[in-house]
Amino acid sequence: MKTLLATFLFLVSISVSAETYSMRRCMLLPIPDSVGNVLGFKVYEAIERDILAKKWCDYVPSSEVIEIFSKYRDRLSDYLEDPNVLKTVSERLKVGTLIKIKIEKEASTLTVSMDVVGENGEDKFFSEKAIINKIDVYEVVETIKNWLVLYETTIPYDGKVVGVLGEQITFEFAKNKRVAIGQEFRIKRLVDKKRHPLLKKVVEWDSELLGKGKIYNLSKGQALGVIKLYTSEKKVAPGDWIKLEKFDPRKVLDDSKFSHYEEQKFGRLGDISLALEIGSHTVNTSASTGNNRMTGYLYGLSAEIETWVTRNYFVAGEFSKKLGSLSKTSGTPSSDTSAQSLSVLKVAGGYKYLPMGFFYGPQVDFYTGWIRYSYQMDASGVDGFGTNSFSGFLLGLGGNIPLQKGIRIFGRGEIIPFPDFTDDDNIYGSSQSLSSMKLEVGMKYQWAPNIKLLGSMEMINNTGKFSGVNKQLRYSDTTMKFGGVFSF
């Protein structure tokens, strides 16, 4: 049955990783007792509230796993002793520690025990046991709270490295830690764990000092640090330990080198981009007068905003408008020239994947939303020219990566899978097929702490085929953008 439970937990998992998770990423296991789990449930609720309030670990609740365990309530204690079950739970939730509490009632006393188990389901990082001489939930809860405070002091590190780029690192730390810009830290690597031969309890951590550094930026449980001194030839890697030096306000505030790294600072809420646009524009129609083609240049402005709801989720908007004139390049349109305008309106939201942390390294955006491309030419029904628009829900993929210090290259692509076509002048009949695509590549340069210079090339293509006399309409744009990005 234990094997069956472990297998079931594995099958409901979304992904399993061999990564070593932080001891400061924890989960509280169900608490069995010998009185129908009545005491265990009350204790569970109280301890969970305490962990969430004190923030010494990144707590991961899981109603799914709790629900699975509830189906095996009669033998819950046995399953919680199985290393395979515990290992599977750790992999499922990607936690480094499992807090295991057990309550046993004998006459008028309670025996309470607590083990903090590692991700392999076997290592015990902490183990305590006590007898309480009365049936009192409050006494049980206070005892466990004291044990958790004691356990937190035994964790051999304050944070773990999640990204490395040259001499710069990003590391995560517990939310209850007092961390400040300018604070120094040591980087260490686990060499070996020494276990008690009988209890399997980890009694000593053997680590190697890799280097020392200083913090230059902070953001919601993550810090950007710069390595100042290497003490080993080994390279710092994700998973290495961070041990913070004692907080010293005088040393933290007096940092003459801070301005050198100020360009790494991101806006706290988001970015606003303003740019001039200069581009070539082409209109192709297959109309009653034949195949017509007109080209020219459009000039305008664009504004974009991206706001970070959290470090990983964002909302964005865009508005741009370009004006110009077109001239005949082929075909027999009734007029050799025409005014043209193009407006773009977009609202979107998505997820930002940060494989090396928030401050630097590659970033990948997945997003969706709604967009509309509005075109307006001098109306000519026989030539297929008029006022119309392509719109619909979009799918987008973008990303950026540092090229060298202060410079990032970026790119993004968007499509409208099922566009809608609006024909204000009723020139075209019902649509047979529609397509819409946009590509953009460019570069951003960190010119000042909150200002980046922007340059990019954008290509837009909107095409429609129709069942009326006017058979086809295609707009093609290639635009150069120059402007700035302002962080706020």
Side-chain angles (χ1 to χ4, degrees), residues 278-290:
I278 305 172
S280 64
H281 180 81
T282 302
V283 182
N284 288 278
T285 64
S286 179
S288 58
T289 56

Side-chain angles (χ1 to χ4, degrees), residues 176-189:
N176 71 333
K177 288 292 180 183
R178 189 177 184 186
V179 182
I181 293 174
Q183 190 170 355
E184 296 181 343
F185 58 84
R186 287 171 289 152
I187 310 167
K188 306 177 79 175
R189 177 169 297 169

Side-chain angles (χ1 to χ4, degrees), residues 338-357:
S338 174
Q340 172 70 300
S341 70
L342 166 60
S343 300
V344 181
L345 177 64
K346 180 178 76 175
V347 290
Y351 176 80
K352 189 181 294 291
Y353 174 57
L354 306 169
M356 293 180 62

